[in-house]
């Protein structure tokens, strides 16, 4: 059987991998290529495109296609977006032409609000990678006191997006189960695989900083570090903060070391021994947790920070941020706990990586089958 030809469509660039969704897309492409597929990329430029990005993506993918994004129209509904509000008809037609010219066996669209693209595909396997669930997301945000941001819609609209696909991908099993209850087609879980950097790179065994947090400026992250800050005040626990979250200039009374927006994530992991994720709420898979594990750093966090991962250690599923602060004190005091948590974090990632490898094997097999044979 010839190598499957796959077209990946995304409103988010794959390079640089400086935020969770870009890291997901880049890792997805890497896994497809590792399995012998011919992977092309169509970027609908909702985050712009620099010359360096064009060079990087053209070098990474078999073929790189770009279409500038247009201005967003008014929301279809009074309190949320319609499923197609961010995906114009011009984009559907542009992707259809690329698909026809490339004779792709499968088209993988990122995000349910880009599912309209799949309506222009007839003859290839239509795959939707959800990344997250967006149905009633605005209601969940408001219940936790957060103003809804980015895309949010109703569950009925989201279901309309699911129905356009032959296969819908959930990023972790809990979300896949929810999708399966709302979608009659095939649902696959495909996690987030990253190179196990602790096997391929030499990082300092005892970096200068004991604890650190790396994150973007989304509302869930800001809320979570604010909760951690309240618990750390007066505990004399030094911790570092890095990433685009610093562009929001958060007021933190525990006075973390501000490392800034670093050029590469490697520079963060070279300086930090134990990575923190005090995530409270949120959905999807926490890419920052997977990344910390892949870099071979001891990682501790809340239950929400580790959802979707095969955890075995108590530090990988703490119920509260208060428990996390107490464990940080014990971690600093106890060399035995430091080694125990490091070993547990490495074991967790290796188990997860094997699981995700199976996920991608299954996906590529399904994507390479003709639609009639796949259905049979």
């Amino acid at each position: 059987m010839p190598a499957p030809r796959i077209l990946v469509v995304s409103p988010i660039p794959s390079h640089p991998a400086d935020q969770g969704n870009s890291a997901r897309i880049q890792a997805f492409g890497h896994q497809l290529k590792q399995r012998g597929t011919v992977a092309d990329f169509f970027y609908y430029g909702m985050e712009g495109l620099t010359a360096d990005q064009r060079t990087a993506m053209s070098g990474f993918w078999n073929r790189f296609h770009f279409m500038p994004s247009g201005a967003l129209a008014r929301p279809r509904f009074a309190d949320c977006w319609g499923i197609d509000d961010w995906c114009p008809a011009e984009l559907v037609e542009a992707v259809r032409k690329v698909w026809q010219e490339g004779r792709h066996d499968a088209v993988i669209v990122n995000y349910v609000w880009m599912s309209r693209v799949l309506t222009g595909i007839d003859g290839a396997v239509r795959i939707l990678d959800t990344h997250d669930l967006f149905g009633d997301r605005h209601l969940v945000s408001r219940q936790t006191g957060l103003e809804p941001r980015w895309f949010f819609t109703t569950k009925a609209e989201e279901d309309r997006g699911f129905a356009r696909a032959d296969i819908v991908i959930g990023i972790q099993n809990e979300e896949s189960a929810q999708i399966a209850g709302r979608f009659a087609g095939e649902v696959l879980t495909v996690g987030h695989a990253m190179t196990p950097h602790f096997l391929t790179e030499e990082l300092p065994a005892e970096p200068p900083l004991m604890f650190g947090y790396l994150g973007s400026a989304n509302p869930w992250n800001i809320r979570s570090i604010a909760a951690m800050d309240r618990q750390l005040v007066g505990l004399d626990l030094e911790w570092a903060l890095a990433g685009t979250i610093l562009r929001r200039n958060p007021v933190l009374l525990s006075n973390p070391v501000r490392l800034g927006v670093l050029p590469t994530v490697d520079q963060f992991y070279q300086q930090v021994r134990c990575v923190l994720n005090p995530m409270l709420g949120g959905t999807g898979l926490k890419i920052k947790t997977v990344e910390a594990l892949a870099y071979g750093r001891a990682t501790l966090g809340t239950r929400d920070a580790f959802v979707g991962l095969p955890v075995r250690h108590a530090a990988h599923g703490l119920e509260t941020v208060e428990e996390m602060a107490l464990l940080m004190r014990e971690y600093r005091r106890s060399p035995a706990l430091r080694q125990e948590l490091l070993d547990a974090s490495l074991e967790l990632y290796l188990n997860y990586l094997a699981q995700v490898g199976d996920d991608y094997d299954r996906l590529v097999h399904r994507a390479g089958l003709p639609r009639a044979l796949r259905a049979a």
Side-chain angles (χ1 to χ4, degrees), residues 5-16 25 33 38-68 94 98 101 104:
R5 298 184 61 85
I6 296 178
L7 177 62
V8 178
V9 182
S10 172
I12 304 297
S14 62
H15 292 66
I25 295 163
K33 294 195 298 178
V38 178
D40 297 342
F41 189 61
F42 189 111
Y43 171 41
Y44 179 59
M46 293 191 73
E47 296 194 354
L49 179 68
T50 67
D52 286 345
Q53 284 179 303
R54 182 184 287 275
T55 299
M57 288 188 278
S58 296
F60 180 80
W61 300 93
N62 177 61
R63 288 188 178 180
F64 172 66
H65 306 272
F66 173 68
M67 178 178 174
V98 169
E101 292 168 1
H104 300 92

Side-chain angles (χ1 to χ4, degrees), residues 177-191:
Q178 293 184 53
I179 294 167
R182 299 162 50 191
F183 171 60
E186 185 174 6
V187 180
L188 296 178
T189 297
V190 179

Side-chain angles (χ1 to χ4, degrees), residues 124-141:
V125 182
R126 298 168 297 192
I127 302 172
L128 175 64
D129 187 5
T130 59
H131 287 248
D132 209 336
L133 294 178
F134 295 88
D136 290 346
R137 190 183 182 94
H138 54 306
L139 304 181
V140 174
S141 294

Side-chain angles (χ1 to χ4, degrees), residues 119-197:
T119 64
I121 308 301
D122 184 18
V125 182
R126 298 168 297 192
I127 302 172
L128 175 64
D129 187 5
T130 59
H131 287 248
D132 209 336
L133 294 178
F134 295 88
D136 290 346
R137 190 183 182 94
H138 54 306
L139 304 181
V140 174
S141 294
R142 287 168 183 154
Q143 287 171 0
T144 57
L146 295 175
E147 185 66 25
R149 300 281 182 90
W150 213 38
F151 186 85
F152 46 90
T153 190
T154 66
K155 285 187 176 180
E157 285 287 284
E158 187 172 48
D159 290 347
R160 212 158 58 87
F162 294 159
R164 292 163 167 168
D166 301 308
I167 299 172
V168 175
I169 296 172
I171 200 169
Q172 42 100 339
N173 286 330
E174 291 183 18
E175 290 194 354
S176 293
Q178 293 184 53
I179 294 167
R182 299 162 50 191
F183 171 60
E186 185 174 6
V187 180
L188 296 178
T189 297
V190 179
H192 179 63
M194 291 187 63
T195 300
H197 294 284

Side-chain angles (χ1 to χ4, degrees), residues 204-212 240 268-276 292 295-300 331-332 334-339 341-342 345:
E206 296 189 10
L209 297 167
M210 184 71 76
F211 302 106
F268 172 76
Y269 295 107
Q270 288 166 358
Q271 298 181 69
V272 171
R273 182 169 190 161
C274 179
V275 178
L276 310 171
Y295 271 91
R297 288 311 186 203
T299 309
L300 65 89
Y331 180 92
R332 184 180 65 174
S334 170
L337 178 59
R338 290 199 291 271
Q339 188 61 49
L341 183 56
L342 176 61
S345 297

